[in-house]
């Protein structure tokens, strides 16, 4: 499917129009930016106070790293909280309004319906993620990061958004109502997060000689953490 075909998808256009007319569309970004602002300000104040109490002042690049890392992990947490709620109701909302049968009998292929239902929440979440760029860019002013790390971090956030959105859409196709679908999507995300940690811990307990990592790669925070490892040391 070409980009032109994707953009001219009637389902995608309808979903975007409907979402942009919803008051929550503007409330969620406000809360999103507010949370990131509080995290950034809190990190800056905490590091400056630490520099005042320490024997040597905290250097600017350290403050930049702390702000960047906290903003990135906060964004991942917000993505895990937002994406299931906006993707798990993609199909069940049609059932709730009694429009699913009419949608399925249209000449539009089901593949285009699926793509439209999947891309709409992804675009919305990516819009949220893009609003955080000024906060992440603060670290450039302090010298705490570089463009490569910034791109790698946002690539991790985008891939996680795609995966969780696809998971939510899958749940929406098998459930009959929106609320149970959203709850199941949150449950699966929690199971992936907790299961990866428990599985990795059990693996090292029962096979202590194994030096490789398996289950940790399933954790949504793992790519973000491993991407930041090379720059965590001065």
């Amino acid at each position: 499917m070409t980009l032109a075909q994707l953009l001219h998808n009637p389902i995608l256009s309808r979903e975007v129009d409907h979402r942009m007319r919803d008051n929550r569309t503007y409330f969620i970004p406000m809360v999103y930016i507010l949370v990131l602002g509080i995290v950034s300000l809190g990190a800056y104040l905490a590091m400056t106070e630490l520099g005042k109490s320490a024997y040597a002042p905290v250097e600017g690049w350290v403050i930049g790293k702390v702000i960047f890392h906290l903003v990135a992990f906060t964004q991942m947490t917000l993505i895990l909280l937002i994406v299931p709620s906006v993707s798990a109701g993609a199909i069940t909302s049609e059932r709730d309004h009694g429009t699913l049968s009419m949608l399925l009998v249209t000449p539009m292929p089901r593949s285009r319906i699926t793509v439209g239902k999947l891309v709409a929440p992804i675009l919305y979440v990516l819009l949220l993620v893009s609003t955080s760029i000024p906060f992440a860019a603060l670290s450039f002013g302090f010298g705490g990061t570089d463009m490569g790390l910034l791109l790698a971090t946002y690539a991790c956030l985008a891939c996680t958004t795609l995966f969780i959105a696809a998971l939510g859409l899958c749940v929406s196709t098998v459930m009959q109502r929106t609320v149970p679908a959203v709850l199941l999507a949150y449950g699966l995300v929690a199971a992936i997060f907790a299961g990866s940690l428990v599985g990795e811990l059990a693996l090292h307990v029962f096979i202590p000689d194994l030096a490789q990592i398996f289950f940790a790669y399933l954790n949504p925070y793992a790519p973000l953490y491993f991407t930041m490892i090379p720059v965590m040391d001065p």
Side-chain angles (χ1 to χ4, degrees):
M1 179 178 294
T2 64
L3 180 60
Q5 292 175 332
L6 176 63
L7 295 178
H8 287 84
N9 190 318
I11 299 299
L12 177 59
S13 300
R14 189 194 70 171
E15 292 291 324
V16 172
D17 291 341
H18 174 73
R19 195 174 299 277
M20 295 306 294
R21 294 180 182 181
D22 191 345
N23 293 330
R24 293 174 298 178
T25 302
Y26 304 96
F27 175 75
I28 294 177
M30 182 181 66
V31 175
Y32 190 89
I33 296 174
L34 179 62
V35 171
L36 294 182
I38 293 174
V39 169
S40 300
L41 180 60
Y44 175 79
L45 294 177
M47 294 303 295
T48 52
E49 288 297 324
L50 179 63
K52 293 178 182 178
S53 60
Y55 292 103
V58 177
E59 297 183 13
W61 62 267
V62 177
I63 299 177
K65 284 186 178 182
V66 172
I67 292 176
F68 184 82
H69 294 170
L70 287 179
V71 167
F73 277 89
T74 302
Q75 284 191 94
M76 182 64 74
T77 302
L78 293 175
I79 286 174
L80 296 180
L81 293 175
I82 294 174
V83 176
S85 65
V86 299
S87 63
I91 304 300
T92 55
S93 61
E94 300 288 349
R95 290 194 179 98
D96 292 341
H97 294 90
T99 57
L100 181 60
S101 299
M102 293 184 289
L103 182 62
L104 294 178
V105 298
T106 60
M108 185 181 303
R110 295 193 177 188
S111 59
R112 296 197 68 187
I113 297 176
T114 303
V115 170
K117 290 289 188 179
L118 176 64
V119 174
I122 292 177
L123 291 179
Y124 177 64
V125 176
L126 291 182
L127 175 64
L128 294 178
V129 173
S130 66
T131 61
S132 68
I133 294 179
F135 297 101
L138 286 175
S139 58
F140 281 96
F142 291 104
T145 186
D146 54 23
M147 183 60 67
L149 177 62
L150 182 65
L151 294 177
T153 300
Y154 277 87
C156 292
L157 296 175
C159 291
T160 302
T161 300
L162 176 60
F163 173 74
I164 301 300
L167 180 65
L169 181 63
C170 179
V171 170
S172 185
T173 59
V174 299
M175 300 297 290
Q176 298 296 321
R177 292 292 181 265
T178 300
V179 173
V182 172
L183 294 177
L184 179 58
Y186 277 119
L188 291 177
V189 171
I192 294 173
F193 172 74
S196 60
L197 297 179
V198 173
E200 191 65 34
L201 179 61
L203 191 64
H204 285 281
V205 169
F206 293 104
I207 313 178
D209 297 331
L210 187 63
Q212 298 182 2
I213 298 175
F214 292 97
F215 294 104
Y217 285 110
L218 300 176
N219 194 292
Y221 293 92
L224 206 60
Y225 173 74
F226 292 137
T227 302
M228 293 179 178
I229 285 179
V231 297
M232 290 184 69
D233 297 324

